[in-house]
Amino acid sequence: MSAEQLRNVLLRRWWLITVCVVLALAGALAGGSRLATAPTEYQSTVSLEFGHSQGITASYIATIETSVATPAVLNQVAAGFPGLTSEALLAKVSVSALGSSQVLRVTVTDEQPQRAAELATAIANVLIAEDQQANQAQYGPAQEVLKQQLADVQAQITTVSAALNGLSSGSGQFAGLQSQLSALQQRQALLQWSQAQEQINEAEDGASLFIVDPALPGQEVKTTRLISLFAKFGGALLFGLIFGGAIAYFWDRGDQRVHDARAVGALLAIPALATLDAGARALAEPDLAAAHALESNLAYLGIDRPVRTLVLASATEPERASEASAKLARALSAAGKSVVLVDANLRNPTQAARFGIQAATGLSNAALAFRGQGASGVALGPYLTQTPQTGKAALWIMSAGPVPPNPAQILRSRAVSDVCKALADGADLVLFDAPAALDAPDALLLANHADGLIIVVDLATARRDKLALLRTRLSASGANVLGYVLVGGDAAPVGIATNAGTVPRPVGSSSHPA
């Protein structure tokens, strides 16, 4: 899709984009009103630091930082403040580490300045307790083992000392007990040294989290509410435009209707030749503007060989082409052209009834009469009916005649080709009203006998998928498609540019039948 096509889509669906923008702004207005009427909030911050740098890693600090949002911390703090839930507390708290330092900052936002400080302090105390529990979990088991071993050695020392007190130094057991006591005392000294070493290691390696900057009653949050409101409304406006534009784009992609002449030209790759009034204009009121436009454009298209015989057909609705053919025939005759309108819809003819004439004979009869006679072997008078002259020249009608059982075969015949040539010899323009091109092959068969084919497009009923299929069908047929006549809308001049910026050429062959 080109930029111009996208612009046309957005202009066509402007109301949809407007609705999306209004809804987005309404949502922003609701949010903005809540922002404007929100109560004043206060922030209080407490800073914590690890007592020793040895053994403190970035991952350990991150663990402490994320633990603030865990239920273990939130539930303990919320329990000390009636009416406060852990979910509400989570929305009030933010925690951050100061760069590469070992300082954590816990900030609490609350509507009461004193409670903001109390909440921050309570969170800090819980974090400190959690850190101490972690240290105890690391060093506690070893301390308990050493403590138990010291107790066992002490009990043994007491037992041996009591036994020694009951013996004289000359006794035979005295020396052995004395030696045992000495060994136990050495082991006791070693265990005491190990216990002291563990305590030193715990003091040096433990995190020892503590408060370095206590929380004070909260300070009022100085938010620039005007900027926040502008941000909300600006974001809502942008969102509404983008969202509405996206909906308009995809809606248009699914919309098979054709909205203007430029879209018709791009789909069919043929020029616009004239525009007919889409209103219920009577045949007695010829559309002279359409007649002059068609006459001028046919003069350009027939620069090498005059264009005198034309087949008019729509994509799927033959009634549209029949009505357009009648209006153009009346307008061209009113503009000074002698015109013959041939009802070539041998399946469902309508022109005789449209002009209010009684014609027992018509095209099908003329085809039988011209069979084997050549283009000048039969007089056409019995098959033509002149309408009351309302313009500068006469308008003749050749009705369809009796409906044959084989319309396509009749229109393909050499006899119809001879009828076409004979009609062209006696009139300025011959218009053949043919069935819809996608419903029957008649229009394309008849186009082989005429100077060109004109597609009638009614903007009220035209569909993009049908026009695209028609273009494929026309290209495969090799017919000399001169352009299209638009019913309703504003037609562009011949050579209307397509979406690629090129001037379309008639679909199929550019040569005229001999």
Side-chain angles (χ1 to χ4, degrees), residues 346-362:
L346 300 182
R347 301 173 187 272
N348 185 27
T350 61
Q351 296 298 355
R354 178 173 282 106
F355 282 90
I357 62 177
Q358 298 293 331
T361 59

Side-chain angles (χ1 to χ4, degrees), residues 121-132:
T121 303
I123 293 174
N125 290 334
V126 172
L127 291 178
I128 292 173
E130 293 280 343
D131 181 62
Q132 290 175 350

Side-chain angles (χ1 to χ4, degrees), residues 436-494:
L438 293 180
D439 294 342
D442 302 13
L444 298 180
L445 295 175
L446 192 57
N448 292 327
H449 308 313
D451 294 331
L453 173 64
I454 294 178
I455 303 300
V456 177
V457 180
D458 189 341
L459 281 183
T461 59
R463 291 176 57 86
R464 290 190 295 183
D465 53 347
K466 298 299 183 182
L467 292 183
L469 179 60
L470 177 61
R471 176 179 176 178
T472 302
R473 190 78 56 85
L474 295 176
S475 298
S477 70
N480 181 35
V481 185
L482 301 177
Y484 68 92
V485 170
L486 191 69
V487 179
D490 297 324
V494 63

Side-chain angles (χ1 to χ4, degrees), residues 301 304-305 451 478-482 505-513:
L301 292 171
D304 292 325
R305 180 181 300 178
D451 294 331
N480 181 35
V481 185
L482 301 177
R505 299 175 59 187
V507 177
S509 171
S510 60
S511 62
H512 296 280

Side-chain angles (χ1 to χ4, degrees), residues 156-157 160 174-186:
Q156 294 177 26
I157 290 175
V160 173
F174 187 85
L177 291 174
Q178 186 68 37
S179 175
Q180 184 180 356
L181 179 61
S182 176
L184 288 172
Q185 289 174 341
Q186 290 179 2

Side-chain angles (χ1 to χ4, degrees), residues 402-435:
V403 176
N406 55 342
Q409 185 177 1
I410 296 293
L411 295 175
R412 185 189 296 115
S413 67
R414 178 58 182 263
V416 170
S417 177
D418 292 339
V419 172
C420 181
K421 293 176 182 177
L423 290 171
D425 290 339
D428 295 326
L429 283 174
V430 181
L431 305 183
F432 288 88
D433 170 26

Side-chain angles (χ1 to χ4, degrees), residues 100-151:
S100 59
S101 67
Q102 296 177 346
V103 176
L104 288 177
R105 298 188 64 184
V106 178
T107 301
V108 176
T109 303
D110 193 79
E111 298 174 6
Q112 302 177 20
Q114 185 60 38
R115 193 167 79 154
E118 292 173 356
L119 285 170
T121 303
I123 293 174
N125 290 334
V126 172
L127 291 178
I128 292 173
E130 293 280 343
D131 181 62
Q132 290 175 350
Q133 291 178 6
N135 290 338
Q136 290 176 1
Q138 180 178 359
Y139 293 98
Q143 293 280 10
E144 288 296 327
V145 171
L146 289 174
K147 184 177 180 180
Q148 184 61 44
Q149 289 177 348
L150 279 172

Side-chain angles (χ1 to χ4, degrees), residues 139-155 187-188 190-196 198-199:
Y139 293 98
Q143 293 280 10
E144 288 296 327
V145 171
L146 289 174
K147 184 177 180 180
Q148 184 61 44
Q149 289 177 348
L150 279 172
D152 293 342
V153 170
Q154 182 61 46
R187 178 169 173 73
Q188 183 184 41
L190 179 60
L191 290 173
Q192 289 175 343
W193 179 86
S194 297
Q195 186 180 45
E198 283 294 323
Q199 292 173 349

